[in-house]
Amino acid sequence: MGAVRKYHVTHNGHRTIMRLNEQDVKVYPDAQLVDDEQAQPEPEAKPAAKTRTPADKTRRPAGDK
């Protein structure tokens, strides 16, 4: 098994990026090596969700019964 690199390939009619070794590249004749600069950027992290203040769960005096 060799080093794994990113390639543009068409799989089941969809164009995608796959990590393949040299043996797997032979399976996909249209495989094109992806430059690291051309690779799709990682999605940015979403901002933190708004926080809620916790509910006041203190017990109140029962009073006279």
Side-chain angles (χ1 to χ4, degrees), residues 6 8 32-40:
K6 290 182 182 179
H8 283 286
Q32 296 174 354
L33 185 61
V34 175
D35 294 332
D36 288 331
E37 296 91 32
Q38 290 179 350
Q40 295 176 352

Side-chain angles (χ1 to χ4, degrees), residues 6-32:
K6 290 182 182 179
Y7 290 90
H8 283 286
V9 296
T10 303
H11 183 69
N12 292 336
H14 299 281
R15 188 85 172 146
T16 186
I17 296 176
M18 297 178 79
R19 294 178 187 219
L20 305 171
N21 60 20
E22 292 300 320
Q23 292 174 336
D24 293 336
V25 171
K26 296 175 185 173
V27 175
Y28 298 98
D30 66 335
Q32 296 174 354

